[in-house]
Amino acid sequence: MIISYKEFNPSPALQQYVDKYWISSFTEAPSHHLSIQKCMPLGMAQVIIHTMGRDCDIYLNGEWTPLPDAYFVGIYKDAVTWRANCNAVLFGMNLKPECLMQLFKIPVSTLFNDYTDISNFLNKRVNTMADKMMGLSDPAMLIKIAEDFLISRLKSTNEERTYLEEATNIIRIEKGNISIDSLCK
C-alpha cells in the first residue's frame, strides 16, 4: 500500500480558525488487505471529506462502521482506529476547537470523542461544498473550495471576537505557560 499525506497552511484570512488543511491518499491493488490506521488525538476539531466516496471505516465498539462522505470530528482523548479502501482520497480541515462554534455554531463539547455526518448540523450549503469536492484529488482545488466556503461562513456570522477566542489565543501564544490569574487579567 502506498500512503501519501501532505499538509497545507491556510490563507492569512483563515489562520485564526484553521490550523492546517491536509490530504491523504491510499493506493493499492484491490486484492490487498486494507491497512489499519491509528490517528492520535490532535487537540483539534476536523472536517473530513472522502472525495472519492465512502472509502473508510472506523472501528467502534468492536466492529467496523462505514464513515460518511463528509463529517465533523470532535476532539478525541484516545487514538482512533480506522481503515481506508484502495484509491481513497481524504481531505481534511484541522480547525482550532473554539472555531467549531464560531464557524458552525457547534459547541465542541457535543462532539467530544465522537464524529457526525456534516448534514446533521449544517444546511445544504455545506453539502454543496462537499459535493464540489467529490471526485477531486488536486490539493489546490480542494483548498480553494474549502477556503471559499469558510470565508462565506465568516461573512455570514458577523460576530465580534469573544472572551473564549481571546483566551485561547493568549494560551497558544504563551504555549500554555500562563496562570489562570494572568489569563483572567
Side-chain angles (χ1 to χ4, degrees), residues 1-5 24-38 55-57 64 82-90:
M1 171 180 274
I2 299 169
I3 301 172
S4 170
Y5 176 84
S24 188
S25 60
F26 301 81
T27 309
E28 67 177 329
S31 62
H32 284 93
H33 295 286
L34 300 178
S35 178
I36 295 175
Q37 307 290 312
K38 286 241 186 225
D55 293 325
C56 296
D57 302 318
W64 290 102
W82 60 281
R83 64 185 181 192
N85 294 325
C86 64
N87 300 317
V89 177
L90 286 71

Side-chain angles (χ1 to χ4, degrees), residues 44-143:
M44 299 279 167
Q46 295 182 303
V47 175
I48 299 177
I49 299 169
H50 299 181
T51 67
M52 299 300 169
R54 289 183 191 224
D55 293 325
C56 296
D57 302 318
I58 188 169
Y59 192 72
L60 291 173
N61 303 320
E63 64 184 34
W64 290 102
T65 304
L67 286 164
D69 288 344
Y71 52 100
F72 286 111
V73 177
I75 295 175
Y76 275 78
K77 71 174 184 125
D78 300 312
V80 175
T81 303
W82 60 281
R83 64 185 181 192
N85 294 325
C86 64
N87 300 317
V89 177
L90 286 71
F91 176 76
M93 299 175 234
N94 290 354
L95 303 174
K96 296 174 182 175
E98 69 276 12
C99 297
L100 211 54
M101 184 64 159
Q102 294 168 300
L103 291 167
F104 302 107
K105 304 294 183 229
I106 302 170
V108 74
S109 61
T110 61
L111 290 175
F112 180 72
N113 264 353
D114 206 0
Y115 71 94
T116 189
D117 191 304
I118 222 165
S119 64
N120 289 336
F121 279 103
L122 296 177
N123 59 22
K124 188 173 172 103
R125 287 176 39 203
V126 77
N127 289 329
T128 301
M129 177 201 64
D131 288 343
K132 287 180 184 177
M133 291 182 176
M134 289 300 151
L136 300 179
S137 60
D138 176 47
M141 292 175 69
L142 293 165
I143 290 168

Side-chain angles (χ1 to χ4, degrees), residues 157-169:
T157 60
N158 292 330
E159 284 191 18
E160 294 181 21
R161 290 185 58 88
T162 65
Y163 288 114
L164 173 64
E165 293 170 64
E166 295 301 330
T168 54
N169 189 42

